Amino acid sequence: MAKIAMKTPLVEMDGDEMTRIIWALIKERLIEPFVDLKTEYFDLGLAYRDATDDAVTVEAAEATLRLGVAVKCATITPNAARVEEYDLKQMWKSPNGTIRALLDGTVFRTPIPVAGIEPTVRTWEQPITIARHAYGDVYHNVELRIPGPGTADLVFHGADGSELRETIFAFEGPGVVQGTHNLDSSIESFARSCFEYALSTHQDLWFATKDTISKTYDHRFKDIFREIFEAEYAEAFNAAGIEYFYTLIDDAVARVMRSSGGFIWACKNYDGDVMSDMISSAFGSLAMMTSVLVSPAGVYEYEAAHGTVQRHYYRHLEGKPTSTNSVATIFAWSGALRKRAELDELPELAAFADALEQATLGTIEAGFMTGDLARITTLPDPVTLSTDEFIDAVAQRLADTLPAA
Ligand code: NAP
Ligand code: MG
């Protein structure tokens, strides 16, 4: 049987440490035997980012804008210890931050459900996807410690010489004050990314803020979502049989806990930070969470939600066996291949992406898994496999369903 053909290459961003090891194994054992893989390769491993003064990260993001679909391995965000460890020229910025700034996207995180790893919340039958707005609010704040009596004002100096002014509070004693901001343009991009992703995954979209209390700031988010929905998406949602639903954040939290899942929950920056950790841990494991960056221009970048699994990598370097879960990285590849298949109309490639995911989940459901899952599974007598053995078990299962070329 001939290998499955591709038309347009994927943008491939290699990464660091244990996930770099897994990356090569997935390509060699799970994809290349079946697919005539076409990629434009960018090495985002820290050594090469340093050698190119981080130009490689920018080139990879530009290639993603050109080709439309990327798959990314986890990468090290350098701190002081990494500067020493890798003898870096400087403490390079987070590659994800650089890519996100160039693509102007929203990150969607979705748990990968599998029988035997049960969500803590009984009623959750399908995954809940968190869409987090990644700009502004308390993450770009300005704060003051108020030392004693006095008045704090909020003042805007217009470029045209106009002025807007409100008193925040007349302090009689010490306290604190904070200023935050957001941009219509950023909120609009966030809204469009969410509506696009809801349509492309055929799921309802929920959005919530505290607009009853924050009558100007949060209300602006609510209005922008409503205006864009009505002008650009209402018909398409109707035709697709999906719904856009707005409510207050506290009502949303209560409804999420009683829901059966299967929708996208768009969150403001802080809500998304907090709620995505709740959702991922309640669904079982960070190693069972996919992440996709969707730009308002409809460009997609797939990755795993976890990092480079540094502790396991050091064990690997010592020659000790590791049991690192490759599921989220496998699903980054299958997600990217499926999106490429959809854009290039390649049904065979789409079927391969499905088969790869089924083989991965089937392996776990048959009781063969890495240590992180073996510790939490409800399946009886799970068999704990090493990093290699798990990927080999998936390859075996895949070969049983799809004859290799
Ligand atoms: P991490 O790589 O996510 O790992 C934290 C811990 O979670 C691991 O030590 C391991 O626990 C467990 N874990 C995570 N993924 C796992 C997997 N696939 N299989 C099994 N266990 C898994 O986070 P980190 O150690 O804080 O960060 C390491 C590096 O990753 C940092 O340099 C950071 O900058 C980078 N990072 C990159 C990204 C990204 O590129 N998207 C995201 C986050 C962090 P046990 O050790 O207890 O087994
Ligand atoms: Mg957090």
Side-chain angles (χ1 to χ4, degrees):
M1 215 190 110
K3 288 191 190 184
I4 297 163
M6 290 181 66
K7 280 185 196 156
T8 316
L10 284 176
V11 177
E12 175 186 356
M13 306 185 199
D14 207 343
D16 288 300
E17 300 193 311
M18 204 58 209
T19 40
R20 190 181 179 97
I21 309 274
I22 285 175
W23 194 260
L25 291 174
I26 291 172
K27 277 179 67 179
E28 178 201 316
R29 300 188 194 170
L30 299 181
I31 299 175
E32 285 168 346
F34 307 97
V35 177
D36 192 7
L37 183 65
K38 282 201 175 108
T39 74
E40 270 190 32
Y41 179 88
F42 297 86
D43 185 357
L44 266 55
L46 187 50
Y48 196 66
R49 273 184 275 150
D50 193 53
T52 61
D53 294 339
D54 211 17
V56 66
T57 308
V58 174
E59 283 163 19
E62 284 166 350
T64 306
L65 285 171
R66 178 165 44 84
L67 293 175
V69 185
V71 56
K72 180 181 169 293
C73 181
T75 47
I76 293 169
T77 298
N79 55 16
R82 299 301 201 159
V83 171
E84 202 172 314
E85 183 183 354
Y86 285 81
D87 192 20
L88 300 179
K89 294 178 199 160
Q90 69 178 73
M91 201 185 292
W92 304 109
K93 281 190 282 188
S94 150
N96 286 349
T98 302
I99 294 166
R100 209 172 295 159
L102 287 164
L103 267 49
D104 182 26
T106 298
V107 174
F108 296 84
R109 295 207 153 170
T110 310
I112 302 163
V114 59
I117 310 295
E118 304 304 332
T120 316
V121 178
R122 239 185 316 114
T123 54
W124 291 353
E125 285 160 18
Q126 289 176 69
I128 295 167
T129 298
I130 294 273
R132 174 181 171 190
H133 186 211
Y135 181 84
D137 302 351
V138 72
Y139 301 88
H140 289 185
N141 69 354
V142 177
E143 305 181 311
L144 284 178
R145 172 98 172 75
I146 302 295
T151 304
D153 289 339
L154 200 54
V155 189
F156 168 76
H157 306 283
D160 62 358
S162 65
E163 193 179 279
L164 295 172
R165 178 183 293 266
E166 286 280 350
T167 294
I168 298 170
F169 197 67
F171 288 89
E172 289 180 358
V176 282
V177 67
Q178 136 174 303
T180 65
H181 80 281
N182 224 299
L183 305 173
D184 280 11
S185 59
S186 177
I187 303 167
E188 286 163 10
S189 292
F190 175 46
R192 287 201 176 88
S193 295
C194 291
F195 291 129
E196 289 287 339
Y197 195 67
L199 282 171
S200 90
T201 60
H202 215 272
Q203 296 180 91
D204 289 347
L205 175 69
W206 295 19
F207 182 46
T209 72
K210 196 70 179 173
D211 66 283
T212 47
I213 301 297
S214 175
K215 289 184 166 58
T216 301
Y217 195 113
D218 277 19
H219 213 285
R220 191 75 198 120
F221 281 79
K222 178 183 179 178
D223 286 346
I224 286 175
F225 267 71
R226 171 57 46 195
E227 284 158 19
I228 290 180
F229 178 71
E230 280 169 4
E232 300 171 29
Y233 291 98
E235 265 176 51
F237 268 54
N238 206 13
I242 59 174
E243 198 190 351
Y244 168 59
F245 170 63
Y246 177 88
T247 186
L248 284 171
I249 183 70
D250 38 356
D251 181 50
V253 169
R255 286 172 186 261
V256 163
M257 297 309 281
R258 283 184 275 112
S259 77
S260 53
F263 55 90
I264 299 159
W265 184 10
C267 290
K268 284 182 64 197
N269 210 348
Y270 174 82
D271 299 336
D273 184 354
V274 177
M275 292 305 163
S276 70
D277 282 6
M278 183 194 74
I279 296 281
S280 68
S281 56
F283 269 101
S285 165
L286 202 57
M288 297 293 284
M289 188 101 172
T290 61
S291 185
V292 57
L293 176 74
V294 181
S295 88
V299 162
Y300 293 76
E301 183 223 313
Y302 293 82
E303 62 169 349
H306 59 77
T308 61
V309 214
Q310 182 182 13
R311 250 166 43 90
H312 295 209
Y313 181 59
Y314 289 163
R315 282 184 59 85
H316 170 81
L317 289 182
E318 287 169 23
K320 293 181 183 155
T322 56
S323 184
T324 312
N325 188 333
S326 49
V327 173
T329 307
I330 294 172
F331 273 62
W333 275 99
S334 59
L337 289 171
R338 182 182 294 109
K339 179 54 74 179
R340 201 61 273 168
E342 187 189 311
L343 296 175
D344 291 347
E345 296 178 40
L346 297 170
E348 261 195 300
L349 188 63
F352 172 77
D354 293 345
L356 175 56
E357 292 180 359
Q358 284 315 312
T360 306
L361 299 178
T363 302
I364 297 169
E365 286 168 0
F368 300 91
M369 59 195 82
T370 46
D372 57 318
L373 298 184
R375 279 194 293 277
I376 59 170
T377 185
T378 52
L379 295 175
D381 309 318
V383 179
T384 301
L385 301 181
S386 68
T387 309
D388 268 68
E389 288 167 344
F390 180 75
I391 291 173
D392 282 339
V394 174
Q396 187 61 56
R397 199 167 264 270
L398 189 58
D400 290 346
T401 42
L402 263 180

